[in-house]
Amino acid sequence: MILLEWLQYPFVWSYQQTVEKLSLPKQKIFWAYVFLFIPLIFFLYIRIYPTIQAFGMSFYDWNPLAVEQEFIGFDNYAEIFEDVQKPALTSPTRAAFENTVKYVVIGMPLQLVLSLSIALMLSEIRRFVDFYRVIFFLPFVTSTIAVAWVFRWLYQPQHGLFNVVLAAFSLPTQDFLDSRGQALFSILAVVIWQGLGFAVIIFLAGLKQIPRTYYEAAEVDGSSRWQSFWNITLPLLNPSIVYLVVLQTISFLRMFAPVLAMTSQGDGGPLNSTTTVVLRVFREAFGTRSKMGYSAALTVVLFAVILMVTIIQLRLTTRSVD
Amino acid sequence: MRKGKLFTLLVLFVMLVSLTVGIQAQDDVVTIEYWQYFFEARQGAMNQLIEQFEAENPDIDVVHNSEIPYADFITEVSASAAAGVGPDVVTLFYGWIPAWVEAGFLVPLPQEDFPQDWIESFFSPMVSESKFQGEYWAIPTAVRALALFYNKDLMEAAGLDPDSPPETLDELVEMAQATTQYDGDASLDNITTQGFAAALAGQSHHWFREVLIRQFGGVPYSEDGREVLWNSEAGCEAFSYLADFELEYATGSNALLDGATNAFVNGLSAFHIDGSFRIGTINNNNPDLNYGVTELPAGPNGDRSTFGSYWTHGITRNAAEDEAKMEAATRFLQFITTAEAGTLWVNEVGELPAQLEAASNPDLLADPILGPFAASLEYARATFFIDESAQRQVLIDAYELVREGVDPCEALDLFAPVEQELLDDFWASQD
Amino acid sequence: MDAAQPAMVNTPEQVPQTISNRKRQTVIYRAFSYLVLSLIGLTMVIPFVWMISTSFKDATEIYRPNFFPQNPTTDNYEEVITDTALPRWYLNSLIVAVMTTISVAFFDSLAGFVFAKYQFPGKRAIFLLFLSSLMIPTEMLIIPWFIMSVDPPIGATWVDTYWGIAFPGVITATGVFLMRQFMQSVPDELLDAARIDGVSEFGLFWRIVIPLSLPAIGALSIFNFLGNWNAFIWPLIVTSDLNMMTLPVGLQFFSSENGADWHLIMTGASLSVVPLLIIVIVFQRYIIEGITLTGLKG
């Protein structure tokens, strides 16, 4: 204990000699870097460094089983470029890019609107609130593989619950996962279903940060519920919305596990209709004949796309990041 | 305080001494690592073999890693290989050999220990089909073949003799139609019990390639394996035959009842084509199933064929880096591929011995379930795969297109170039 | 938000409403909310109930379309608990989840605080650098991570250790981002006032910002804790000892070359949900209700 106290003197002394002599803004900068030190080291070493390694692989005919890797320059990228020009039916890569765009463009807004609606309704009601919250959280705590299996049963062409219900209302039964036209939407529905709880909680936490007095004041001013929503709720919910838009976009762009678990053999079928870029990355990297270099190149392309989308989103949604 | 320090030092000293002693004691023991995917029966059989082997070879210690889920086997082998660790002796599907040789992961079996003419005369013929670049790179304990499973109760319910299963392709169609039961008119939507369902993601792609095409008078690939020929007239007829079960006769579909395999295992399908490994699934999940097995139906000209395959064992570059390890790995590989090991395997795992002597055992041939598999070994063929998963996917996709209403010949023509590209890409790297 | 519209149609704009009108609307709106929430809630519950009910079916019955088991059996539970290392996998998952959650709660909050409340050169670049870690699929990092784990910078090996399973997730960009978003709403004046009172910079974080952000930290912790129960590819690669595997990895063993033993997978999955469910039930009120308002007043 005495040792500890003694040990800190040089630090205290040097701190007093250096940092405390700085102006206040400069002191703040100093502390910002100190606080960020460990996270920065972590991200650089555990995330960025392996990412750079993976980027490096994209210039090789990289095979994990091989000792020496052959440098092939931009050949992997050229192959991707060729593959995306083929029809999606016979080119999984082309299909993967097409489908990934569909997942994001349809999935992200739908999930956002649904979860915000649910959160607003939840903050409105007074009884059974806990009960509903737990229910909306159920899918989120259930393992993806179990969820996938259950939905495969619900989607069954013959005895699946959905088709039984359709038949009961004398509506035509659907093929769902077994059809090229519906499979993607069937999977998307499950993903939205499973992620709803997360988004609802984020919105609820955001809504709780809005002081009730704002609404009371608005009510006194005679503004309608709809006006309050536009003028108070949405603007003050901005941090939550930005967060969810950016993160859900990224997560839809990186869609993988549900497709792996819900398609036969995890192949992203039928006929590539549900496959995604990350599923292709995984399949090409760990197939019988590994094409990890090609996978790495796909990763780089995906990375570039996500980075671009994220920067644009951050620019548009937060006018004052700095 | 002093006492504590002394004690710590003492403990450290003892640890250090025991460590050096330990190292010295293990000095002349070679440790090799053996990997296979997780399957309880295989794990148990291999543990027995390893125990026997270590008793005979006290200077070799075999570490057995079989705690790898089946679906993730390649992923785990890849990661370990990239990090320079992993197996010295590895179990792999025979169809992976060319790809793993191309990557330099496997080393050729030493010819003095595994003479080529010995392999060619003592092992099932399909084993010699995996010769690549003039070398053998792996050798199996056991092999498999496809046969026809039939549900006796469902045959009887349809008024068929449960002891005379289909002998020809035409009979299979007739009996499949007879056994299919519908709740309403005869369409897939109304099926309650299936007659027969083609499962391309299961074994039907093998049935198509190595059996049906040949029976219709064609070949799946050129002699040297470099050219796709399954989009021929015979291929077309074979593919139509396969698709008609679902599209023309509505006897079943792999999309129903959680797949053709589960449907059969759970007594909801009368006929099913599968490998000998499926026996274990039935024993496990539905031991009461009243079923039989017979050889695959003969073709229009009466000729038989079946697809043979096997999980085989190879020696990796890890072992080859060290002379002592290489020798230990070779001895271990010899030990687990004897005829006796094959017999142990058939009893424990239900797969057929790879050595002809053990596979032609009269007791085995007389077995009502395993007998038909063993009998078909003599005409079994193993496709020379260069990328097994991708080549299977091509036929799965072609079949999906046929299900959407595309003509079978057109579907095959559309997808043949996809597989041809895979082949060209592989052979370009070889030449 | 669309739900709010019907009730608004007959609202005279800009005219102050009478209290009773407003109240009537509220009643209609609430009734509507209950109806919609119940309907959506039903779709949330059905698959879950199906999973639990499947875990009580035997191997052949799971392929029948009946919702509830005809011959309920607890055999699956006995088999899963006694024949596999499931209790151990359970424990491992718990340890890893607790480890990472504590680390994430602290470091993500700290980094989020910096991004929310400090101005410094390179801020935008460093924030994007953190976020960029989300932009690469982890499936691609398996091999670099495994090479690192076999020959790590610290220690002998990370293979088959809890740290090895946990390290990719001990600080998360999603968490840093979440905390940044929430901490932006902490008033700068509050911090400046505290600075004048002589509170150190770390003191600002520890004594003012953390208490104000407890709901967000709670949410973050829960998400992180739950997320750990689903990850399987990396834990699978970095463990080779059956006793070091986590629950999702263990569930993989119920799928084999012969197909999947769905009755066992459903049982394992049902079991894995139980502790999570308890956590959700116990903590959900705390996460969301939080103490934001009281914190701000005090």
Side-chain angles (χ1 to χ4, degrees), chain A residues 65 158 178 180 267 289, chain B residues 102 191 317 393 403-404:
Chain A
L65 297 177
Q158 227 181 348
D178 193 34
R180 229 193 319 167
D267 63 0
R289 191 161 174 249
Chain B
E102 182 196 13
I191 283 189
R317 57 175 161 82
Q393 191 64 44
R403 288 183 70 213
E404 288 184 4

Side-chain angles (χ1 to χ4, degrees), chain C:
Chain C
M1 63 189 195
D2 293 333
Q5 260 173 322
M8 293 301 113
V9 174
N10 49 10
T11 306
E13 53 202 59
Q14 305 302 330
V15 179
Q17 301 162 354
T18 64
I19 301 291
S20 70
N21 190 7
R22 182 92 188 181
K23 267 200 175 142
R24 212 184 64 221
Q25 271 183 19
T26 306
V27 169
I28 296 170
Y29 184 75
R30 275 193 195 155
F32 181 78
S33 298
Y34 277 114
L35 183 74
V36 175
L37 287 175
S38 301
L39 279 176
I40 301 176
L42 201 64
T43 70
M44 299 281 143
V45 172
I46 287 173
F48 190 76
V49 175
W50 192 301
M51 179 181 86
I52 307 263
S53 109
T54 304
S55 70
F56 289 102
K57 293 178 176 179
D58 64 31
T60 49
E61 205 194 336
I62 60 159
Y63 293 106
R64 311 248 156 77
N66 47 313
F67 202 93
F68 293 106
Q70 283 161 338
N71 312 304
T73 167
T74 53
D75 288 358
N76 300 333
Y77 285 88
E78 278 167 37
E79 187 175 347
V80 159
I81 291 170
T82 55
D83 289 3
T84 70
L86 191 109
R88 178 66 202 237
W89 298 335
Y90 223 106
L91 180 74
N92 293 341
S93 285
L94 200 70
I95 291 171
V96 171
V98 169
M99 254 173 81
T100 56
T101 303
I102 292 172
S103 161
V104 157
F106 179 77
F107 284 110
D108 287 11
S109 306
L110 186 61
F113 168 61
V114 172
F115 286 120
K117 290 294 160 201
Y118 287 87
Q119 307 303 328
F120 53 95
K123 177 175 169 182
R124 190 183 263 274
I126 297 176
F127 184 65
L128 260 182
L129 184 106
F130 280 23
L131 266 195
S132 72
S133 72
L134 296 175
M135 300 171 193
I136 180 143
T138 48
E139 291 72 27
M140 200 59 220
L141 301 182
I142 289 172
I143 290 204
W145 279 344
F146 190 70
I147 294 172
M148 187 187 286
S149 303
V150 167
D151 188 14
I154 305 163
T157 175
W158 291 352
V159 176
D160 279 330
T161 63
Y162 290 123
W163 167 252
I165 302 171
F167 81 82
V170 292
I171 305 178
T172 65
T174 43
V176 173
F177 191 12
L178 180 72
M179 298 322 292
R180 183 193 88 144
Q181 295 303 86
F182 275 99
M183 288 172 174
Q184 275 172 347
S185 64
V186 174
D188 287 333
E189 303 80 47
L190 202 64
L191 300 181
D192 289 338
R195 279 194 184 101
I196 291 164
D197 288 349
V199 179
S200 72
E201 295 294 317
F202 187 77
L204 295 179
F205 169 67
W206 194 246
R207 301 222 300 270
I208 298 171
V209 177
I210 288 255
L212 288 179
S213 311
L214 274 181
I217 296 174
L220 173 66
S221 305
I222 296 287
F223 294 143
N224 192 74
F225 191 88
L226 301 179
N228 268 293
W229 290 72
N230 262 330
F232 87 88
I233 292 190
W234 172 246
L236 169 85
I237 298 299
V238 81
T239 55
S240 59
D241 181 350
L242 206 60
N243 282 324
M244 282 306 293
M245 290 176 182
T246 57
L247 198 56
V249 178
L251 288 185
Q252 288 286 102
F253 284 96
F254 297 136
S255 297
S256 71
E257 191 185 8
N258 290 357
D261 288 332
W262 286 109
H263 54 298
L264 301 183
I265 293 177
M266 290 295 128
T267 310
S270 302
L271 278 173
S272 75
V273 166
V274 177
L276 307 184
L277 207 57
I278 293 171
I279 286 172
V280 171
I281 291 170
V282 171
F283 287 104
Q284 58 93 11
R285 174 178 284 270
Y286 169 77
I287 306 164
I288 306 144
E289 301 290 338
I291 42 170
T292 325
L293 297 173
T294 47
L296 274 176
K297 279 175 193 154

Side-chain angles (χ1 to χ4, degrees), chain B residues 297-310:
Chain B
N301 308 324
D303 41 353
R304 302 246 183 207
S305 179
T306 191
F307 168 73
S309 65
Y310 45 96

Side-chain angles (χ1 to χ4, degrees), chain A residues 14 40 87 99 104 114 120 157 159 181 212 217 224 239 274 300:
Chain A
S14 53
L40 193 61
N99 296 338
V104 177
L114 265 174
L120 285 171
H159 303 297
R212 281 234 77 82
S224 73
T274 58
V300 174

Side-chain angles (χ1 to χ4, degrees), chain A residues 162-228:
Chain A
F162 296 144
N163 272 326
V164 169
V165 171
L166 284 177
F169 288 99
S170 306
L171 294 165
T173 56
Q174 303 295 322
D175 285 338
F176 296 116
L177 289 173
D178 193 34
S179 105
R180 229 193 319 167
Q182 295 173 357
L184 184 139
F185 299 99
S186 306
I187 292 177
L188 197 56
V190 179
V191 175
I192 292 177
W193 175 86
Q194 209 186 2
L196 221 46
F198 172 78
V200 167
I201 299 286
I202 294 291
F203 275 135
L204 280 177
L207 286 171
K208 281 288 161 195
Q209 303 251 4
I210 304 174
R212 281 234 77 82
T213 45
Y214 288 18
Y215 291 105
E216 283 155 18
E219 203 173 319
V220 170
D221 289 348
S223 68
S224 73
R225 204 184 281 276
W226 185 240
Q227 286 165 332
S228 295

